[in-house]
Amino acid sequence: MSEQKQEGTYSHIDEPVVQFKVNSDRIVREVINADTKQVLVHISGYDLQINFNMQYLKSIEDVEAACSGISQLFRDTIMEKLLEGNKPAE
């Protein structure tokens, strides 16, 4: 299993524990190829939270720029996964 990267630096602190129902609380989003009906991207989690800064998303151009940024983020992530899979064994 690959290592998960977490944003920010967190010290050991006492945090409340959150519990979720295994099926009904899980959020799933998928990108499906329209021609082949195959799932290309599967995003899931129990606290899948996406926040849009609506203060700055005021026009079609702003939305397109945000979508382009999201696209680049996913492109970089996919390429990183591809490169990890193609590393020679040590």
Side-chain angles (χ1 to χ4, degrees):
M1 185 174 270
S2 67
E3 180 181 328
Q4 293 290 324
K5 294 179 185 175
Q6 186 170 354
E7 282 188 26
T9 304
Y10 299 92
S11 301
H12 177 65
I13 58 173
D14 290 328
E15 297 180 75
V17 174
V18 178
Q19 295 180 344
F20 296 98
K21 290 179 252 164
V22 173
N23 295 313
S24 60
D25 287 345
R26 188 171 180 204
I27 299 167
V28 176
R29 299 290 183 258
E30 295 179 324
V31 176
I32 299 172
N33 181 303
D35 296 329
T36 65
K37 308 296 186 225
Q38 293 295 313
V39 174
L40 301 177
V41 179
H42 178 91
I43 303 168
S44 67
Y46 292 101
D47 188 20
L48 187 60
Q49 185 175 19
I50 301 171
N51 298 310
F52 298 102
N53 191 345
M54 298 310 291
Q55 179 179 353
Y56 296 102
L57 296 174
K58 298 290 186 187
S59 68
I60 297 293
E61 291 81 12
D62 297 338
V63 171
E64 290 300 324
C67 290
S68 178
I70 293 168
S71 175
Q72 186 63 49
L73 173 68
F74 276 88
R75 182 179 290 109
D76 293 346
T77 303
I78 292 168
M79 292 303 294
E80 186 177 296
K81 292 283 185 191
L82 282 171
L83 291 173
E84 283 175 10
N86 291 329
K87 285 183 183 175
E90 293 179 17

